[in-house]
Structure formats: C-alpha cells, structure tokens
Amino acid sequence: MAAAPTPYTTRPQYSSSVLVRGTPEYERCRRNNPSSATPERYPREIHLPKTPQDVAAALRKATELGVHVGIRSSGHIFGLGALVHDGIMIDTSFLNRDIAYDTDTQEIAFGPAVRVEEVAGKLAEINRFFPHGHAPTVAAGGFLLAGGQGWFVRGWGATAQSWITKMEIVVPSGEVVTASRTENKDLFWAARGSGLGFFGVVTRFWGRTIPRSTLWERNFTFEVGNKYEALMTWALTKGDETPKYGTDLNLTIYYPEKYDPNCSGDDIPNPATLHMSLSLLCYADTKPQAKILLSAYDDMPAEIKDALIEMKPVTKTSFQRIFQTKRGFIGLGGDKRWSILSMLSEPSVPMPKLLSYIKPAMLELPTRTSVVFICTCDIVPDEVDSAVTIPQQYYISTITQWTDPKLEPQIYQPMRDRYRRALPVSAGVYVADYDVTCDDANGKVMSDTALARFLKIREKWDPKGIFPNYKKFIETHNKINQGLHKAKI
C-alpha cells in the first residue's frame, strides 16, 4: 500500500540527529520532498547535522562503511539523487540554518538549507539586495552549486559567478576548509557550477550585497492558438532588445485551468486552450526608469494583437508577491507529484529552428497543471573563473505536475522523448535539472575541457569516490560526443 501523502515542510523536526532505515521518523524524513513522487531508494542512514563537525562525522561513517553519500538541501531536484540507496544521505535542514549580515564587509552569510524566502526576508530587513532564486522554498545549497539563475541574471551573471565570495566546505577526508578566489581556489572553481556532482558538503556561503531598489513588473497574457511561432519570436526577440542590467524576463505557457482549485490536473481538456504569459520585471529607483527598461515590448505586431487577452502596465511589486505566484508552479508536497525537464538553448541556432525543435515540449503538456517556463538568462560562461561553462541564452523547461500515482512511471517518458528530440538545438542542461536516474534527455552540464579539469580536482579531494554523481556526467558527455545527439546547425 502506498504511503499517505506527507506535507512538505522547510523546517522539519526530528528526535534524533541520525535516522535509521525502518523507523517512522526515517521514512517521514525520506519523504520530506516538494514532490510526493519519492522514489523507492533507501539510504542506510539519514544524518541531520547542525555543525561542520557533524558533517565530518557523517563522511567518516560513510568511508568506514564503504558507501556513497548524497546531500539534500531542499529536494527541488525532483529526481532526488540525494537518496543514495544503501548509502548515507546528509539532510542539511539544520546546518547553520541562519543568516548573518556583516555591516563592515556588507556581506551576508548563510547555511545550505536557508530558503530563498528567508534570504529575501533578511535582505528586506537590512535594506540590501542579493540575487537569490525566484522560487520561495528552494534552498541555497542546490541553487548556488548549480551556479544560480538568480534575479537579474542577464546583466549580473549567475549568482555563484559574480556574488559568492567564499564557502566553508567539509571535504571527504572530514577536514573543514575555506574556499575562495585566494584559498583552495580549485575547490572554489569546482563547487560553482557542478551541482549534484560536487564532491563535498558546503556548510556556509558568503555573498556580497548592494543597496536595495524597487521591483517593477509589466505583464502580458495571450491565447496561443495557432500563433506559437509568432508569439515566441516576438517575446524572445524583444527580450534580446531589452537592456540586460536590472531586467528579469520570464515566459510561461499553461492551461488556464491550472488556477482553478477544483482542477484535479490529471487530464487534458479537449480542445486544449493554452495561454502564454510574459512577466517582465526590472529593478529601478523610479517608475519612469522602469518604463524605459521594459519599453521594447511597446512594439507589438498586428499578427499577435488579436491573441492578446490582457495587458498590465508597469506596476510596483515585491519579491514576496512574486513568491506567491511561484507557489503555483513548484512542488509543495502533499499529494502533488512533479518532474522537470529542461535545456539551455545553443545561441548560434536560428530562431525558427529553435522554435521548431522545442515546439512539442512547449505545447504538448502532459496534464492540465503542467507548465512551460522560459527565462532569458544571457549567462556568459567564464571557464577560468568557475565550472559554469555552458552558455545560457534561454533556459527552457517543462514542469509536469500530477496527483495520481497510477500515471507512473509512464508519465515521465513523453517529456523525456520531447527533450531528447530537442538536443540538437541545446548547448547543454542546467545542472540543477540533470537527471541522475535517466540519461535520455540529459545534455552536458559543463564544457569538455571544464569536465576534464573538474575530474582532476575531484580525484584530488575525493580519491575514494564517496560522491558518485560525477560518473553520470561522464556518461552523458560520452553520449553527446559520440554523436548520438550531435547538433547539426
């Protein structure tokens, strides 16, 4: 009999710091994920450290047992690679779960399980800005190790590239080290962009901040109908014409029924009517400045005007209001089940070819509560600086949501097939979305030369290989390089 749905909580409570398989608290912890589709993988033990020394003890235990280690900060990587079967999972929910601000350095410091909404709350309190993530319950660990597609990424770069100054890391030997651009530089390079392939446990991050400004938003909603190519071309082209600094451009495609509380979500209406919404945000001191930053979208061609449902002018908003909207697009536990497929577009691909290849993934949504999300990132990789080495022009993703477990496992495969067919126009995959359970649609997580460098650094710090996910990266790179999905542009 399937276990009852477990409400997801970002601040769980347990009676012990080590949970052993077969106990009720172990199972509650194992299932404390934003998706209730928890795979049948069972770590031997779950450790809940509060300090770096507790982490070191867990790593020593894994070495003694000769087992692998998985790290969970929040579980928004829906494949849940942290659930290492017969290994040790380190759940960081209690690890340095605080946020500090240094008035002299103007830096914030926080632990790996601190959530986006917690960081935003602290920043509002101190009147500062740091480009945290967009989804409120995502934790710092997964977000920053993936590089971090934070607020205003287009001009300010991935958060880990431009804003993180230092990390405290427990390495496989159990040693607690500091990594920065001046200390353990190889470790600092590898941590920023390797995501779930990283070979250590980050116990604290330090990041610089700047003075706070005002968040503004402009919205458009269209009925897609037969205007997919025209709408997408206009939306993405106007994004390219929008100033990079201080702007945040997001596109969603969804069924309007998604917002109906009575919608079960497990079936698709016939005929399906998809909507496309643009959420165009900017950070500016005044409304006139905001209007200028978002003015590229003033020019709307006649061919899409009749598809327009609603247009909202530039209006003052807040991160908290955006978080409320995002809660409808991400996992929150309960009976909801989620998966995500994504790709990073190859910048040299002509727009018509890109739109053609991704069209099935954009329009053939598996359920009424599934959604497409596209963000204009414009991240330029710097292989010398960090492992963030895949260009990120457009981040393109499809989030599948359902409630009935009977739809599994078949529900996963259609979207995998659609993203696999889109690999010829992909530069790679955002490492936070890399699927360690199925390589069908995975792209490269870093360049070939960066992966070679990463593997050498990994061998130095983790010679016994207790962190196993790097092996999956090698398999994917070999698949792509052997021409199985090689781009022909």
Side-chain angles (χ1 to χ4, degrees), residues 312-433:
K312 296 181 180 179
V314 174
T315 306
K316 185 184 296 186
T317 186
S318 67
F319 293 115
Q320 288 69 29
R321 196 201 70 76
I322 300 299
F323 293 160
Q324 283 302 112
T325 301
K326 291 289 184 180
R327 289 181 191 279
F329 288 95
I330 59 171
L332 290 173
D335 63 348
K336 300 293 191 298
R337 309 169 86 85
W338 304 78
S339 70
I340 183 169
L341 273 293
S342 76
M343 59 172 273
L344 301 168
S345 63
E346 167 54 52
S348 63
V349 173
M351 181 70 72
K353 183 170 185 176
L354 174 65
L355 298 182
S356 174
Y357 269 81
I358 67 173
K359 187 174 182 177
M362 302 294 96
L363 301 184
E364 298 171 14
L365 303 186
T367 66
R368 289 194 291 175
T369 49
S370 299
V371 65
V372 168
F373 177 71
I374 299 177
C375 175
T376 300
C377 292
D378 292 327
I379 294 176
V380 178
D382 182 353
E383 195 162 318
V384 174
D385 181 68
S386 75
V388 179
T389 54
I390 298 293
Q392 299 186 27
Q393 181 188 24
Y394 305 126
Y395 167 78
I396 300 167
S397 67
T398 305
I399 302 171
T400 301
Q401 190 267 302
W402 68 102
T403 57
D404 187 355
K406 294 178 182 177
L407 296 177
E408 301 160 25
Q410 293 83 0
I411 194 168
Y412 295 99
Q413 199 57 43
M415 202 53 67
R416 286 172 179 162
D417 293 340
R418 288 162 195 156
Y419 273 87
R420 185 180 67 247
R421 291 196 292 269
L423 280 170
V425 297
S426 167
V429 64
Y430 185 50
V431 68
D433 298 335

Side-chain angles (χ1 to χ4, degrees), residues 138-185:
V138 165
F143 171 71
L144 290 170
L145 288 179
Q149 293 174 341
W151 280 93
F152 316 116
V153 62
R154 304 182 64 222
W156 291 341
T159 303
Q161 281 180 309
S162 308
W163 296 77
I164 294 299
T165 59
K166 185 170 62 174
M167 300 179 183
E168 179 184 73
I169 303 172
V170 183
V171 295
S173 67
E175 183 183 4
V176 183
V177 303
T178 299
S180 68
R181 287 186 170 84
T182 58
E183 296 179 82
N184 296 306
K185 293 185 287 186

Side-chain angles (χ1 to χ4, degrees), residues 11-83:
R11 288 191 175 271
Q13 294 183 348
Y14 307 102
S15 62
S16 174
S17 61
V18 178
L19 306 178
V20 180
R21 181 176 177 178
T23 63
E25 281 198 320
Y26 165 98
E27 187 60 13
R28 177 163 61 87
C29 181
R30 192 184 76 88
R31 291 182 172 275
N32 188 38
N33 305 299
S35 172
S36 64
T38 302
E40 298 298 315
R41 298 197 302 273
Y42 297 86
R44 188 177 302 191
E45 296 176 352
I46 299 176
H47 287 239
L48 301 155
K50 293 183 179 179
T51 68
Q53 291 70 34
D54 295 339
V55 174
L59 295 180
R60 285 194 294 269
K61 180 69 174 294
T63 301
E64 291 169 7
L65 295 174
V67 299
H68 289 142
V69 174
I71 312 299
R72 183 173 72 182
S73 56
S74 68
H76 277 273
I77 298 173
F78 293 124
L80 300 176
L83 292 175

Side-chain angles (χ1 to χ4, degrees), residues 134-357:
H134 295 71
T137 59
V138 165
F143 171 71
L144 290 170
L145 288 179
Q149 293 174 341
W151 280 93
F152 316 116
V153 62
R154 304 182 64 222
W156 291 341
T159 303
Q161 281 180 309
S162 308
W163 296 77
I164 294 299
T165 59
K166 185 170 62 174
M167 300 179 183
E168 179 184 73
I169 303 172
V170 183
V171 295
S173 67
E175 183 183 4
V176 183
V177 303
T178 299
S180 68
R181 287 186 170 84
T182 58
E183 296 179 82
N184 296 306
K185 293 185 287 186
D186 59 345
L187 202 59
F188 192 60
W189 179 92
R192 293 173 299 132
S194 60
L196 48 78
F198 187 56
F199 41 83
V201 183
V202 180
T203 55
R204 193 178 291 277
F205 297 91
W206 284 260
R208 65 183 182 89
T209 66
I210 61 173
R212 187 182 181 191
S213 188
T214 302
L215 187 64
W216 305 86
E217 183 175 23
R218 182 182 192 183
N219 293 99
F220 295 86
T221 302
F222 300 89
E223 184 172 309
V224 177
N226 62 356
K227 301 290 181 73
Y228 163 78
E229 286 81 5
L231 286 166
M232 292 283 283
T233 299
W234 176 74
L236 297 179
T237 300
K238 290 302 173 183
D240 293 340
E241 296 174 7
T242 297
K244 289 186 178 182
Y245 292 90
T247 59
D248 202 275
L249 312 177
N250 307 284
L251 179 156
T252 57
I253 298 175
Y254 56 94
Y255 293 111
E257 293 90 345
K258 176 178 176 62
Y259 294 102
D260 181 350
N262 298 315
C263 174
S264 67
D266 288 346
D267 62 314
I268 297 177
N270 188 18
T273 303
L274 286 169
H275 285 185
M276 174 188 292
S277 289
L278 300 181
S279 175
L280 314 172
L281 299 113
C282 66
Y283 215 40
D285 293 335
T286 68
K287 189 172 185 177
Q289 291 173 356
K291 287 183 175 180
I292 291 172
L293 285 172
L294 301 177
S295 62
Y297 291 87
D298 292 345
D299 181 16
M300 184 183 297
E303 64 178 322
I304 66 170
K305 282 185 177 179
D306 60 352
L308 182 66
I309 297 173
E310 184 179 35
M311 178 172 58
K312 296 181 180 179
V314 174
T315 306
K316 185 184 296 186
T317 186
S318 67
F319 293 115
Q320 288 69 29
R321 196 201 70 76
I322 300 299
F323 293 160
Q324 283 302 112
T325 301
K326 291 289 184 180
R327 289 181 191 279
F329 288 95
I330 59 171
L332 290 173
D335 63 348
K336 300 293 191 298
R337 309 169 86 85
W338 304 78
S339 70
I340 183 169
L341 273 293
S342 76
M343 59 172 273
L344 301 168
S345 63
E346 167 54 52
S348 63
V349 173
M351 181 70 72
K353 183 170 185 176
L354 174 65
L355 298 182
S356 174
Y357 269 81

